[in-house]
Structures are given as structure tokens and as C-alpha cells.
């Protein structure tokens, strides 16, 4: 399974940004996909995850009510809609996948996409 993350960039505080993760070599019907992030000097954090197998939609407390994860089975793509972005959301964002269920340590990782928050 290969994952390709994109959509990072510069966003102003309070602004919005949408990240995309294209999955190849596997279907979203089987693979759960999560978004993780790592900011400067911080540990990797699980941000959100979606699984078709058990209907899981997970959000970290830090992003609840601001971020929305969704998937397009036709395009085999998972999106992370980021609204009301805060400076602390600045990080490299990674998408990752594991079979069936959301995992804290997925087996398959894409490259990161950088989100910078600045006015």
C-alpha cells in the first residue's frame, strides 16, 4: 500500500486548508487511514482517523470541532478539512494506513506535507 499526501502550505490563523491522501495498492473498504502530525520539538500526534470496517471516525481533542476527515471511495482518497486553524496546528502532516482498523502505529506511511500557520 502506498500513500501520497498533499495540500500543505501556508495558512493564516483562523483560515482553512484541505489535505489529501491518495491511497494506491489497497482499497479504503479495507484500509483505515489516519492523519498524524509532528511539529517542531514535539512528539508525533494522532490527529484523526477513519475506518470503513467498524465505522470509526476519530479526532484528537485538540482538533475536535475544527477538523473534518472524509473519504472518497471512488478516488481512494482521504481528506482532512482543517478549519479555524491555530498556530499550534503548524506541523508536518502524515497520512498512514493499516488494515481494517485505526491504529496508533500504522504499518504504511506516506511522505509528509508541511502546514505552516502564519499571518
Amino acid at each position: 500500500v502506498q500513500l501520497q499526501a498533499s495540500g500543505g502550505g501556508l495558512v493564516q490563523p483562523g483560515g482553512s486548508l484541505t489535505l489529501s491522501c491518495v491511497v494506491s495498492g489497497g482499497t479504503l473498504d479495507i484500509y483505515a487511514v489516519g492523519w498524524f502530525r509532528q511539529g517542531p520539538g514535539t512528539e508525533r500526534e494522532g490527529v484523526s482517523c477513519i475506518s470503513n470496517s467498524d465505522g470509526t471516525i476519530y479526532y484528537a481533542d485538540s482538533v475536535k470541532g475544527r477538523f473534518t476527515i472524509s473519504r472518497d471511495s471512488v478516488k481512494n482518497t482521504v481528506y482532512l478539512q482543517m478549519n479555524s486553524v491555530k498556530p499550534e496546528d503548524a506541523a508536518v502532516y502524515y497520512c498512514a494506513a493499516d488494515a481494517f482498523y485505526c491504529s496508533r502505529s500504522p504499518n504504511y506511511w506516506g511522505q509528509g506535507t508541511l502546514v505552516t500557520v502564519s499571518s
Side-chain angles (χ1 to χ4, degrees), residues 12 16-17 25-26 37 42 61 63 65 97:
Q12 293 185 346
S16 297
L17 198 66
R37 67 185 181 187
T42 65
D61 288 343
V63 305

Side-chain angles (χ1 to χ4, degrees), residues 24-53:
S24 58
T27 171
L28 294 182
D29 289 341
I30 294 176
Y31 286 90
V33 175
W35 287 96
F36 296 77
R37 67 185 181 187
Q38 188 164 19
T42 65
E43 294 187 354
R44 188 180 71 194
E45 174 189 18
V47 175
S48 185
C49 185
I50 188 166
S51 167
N52 182 63
S53 296

Side-chain angles (χ1 to χ4, degrees), residues 90-106:
V92 178
Y93 283 73
Y94 302 87
C95 59
D98 219 344
F100 303 118
Y101 308 115
C102 293
S103 169
R104 294 180 180 178
S105 300

Side-chain angles (χ1 to χ4, degrees), residues 5-115:
S6 63
L10 176 64
V11 58
Q12 293 185 346
S16 297
L17 198 66
T18 301
L19 306 183
S20 300
C21 177
V22 179
V23 179
S24 58
T27 171
L28 294 182
D29 289 341
I30 294 176
Y31 286 90
V33 175
W35 287 96
F36 296 77
R37 67 185 181 187
Q38 188 164 19
T42 65
E43 294 187 354
R44 188 180 71 194
E45 174 189 18
V47 175
S48 185
C49 185
I50 188 166
S51 167
N52 182 63
S53 296
D54 62 1
T56 293
I57 296 180
Y58 163 82
Y59 296 102
D61 288 343
S62 56
V63 305
K64 277 181 183 176
R66 300 188 298 118
F67 290 11
T68 302
I69 192 169
S70 62
R71 66 191 193 108
D72 184 327
S73 297
V74 174
K75 295 182 179 179
N76 229 31
T77 300
V78 173
Y79 304 96
L80 186 69
Q81 174 69 42
M82 305 167 60
N83 296 329
S84 303
V85 173
K86 301 177 180 180
E88 52 263 42
D89 294 324
V92 178
Y93 283 73
Y94 302 87
C95 59
D98 219 344
F100 303 118
Y101 308 115
C102 293
S103 169
R104 294 180 180 178
S105 300
N107 285 312
Y108 306 98
W109 290 82
Q111 91 296 349
T113 187
L114 177 64
V115 173

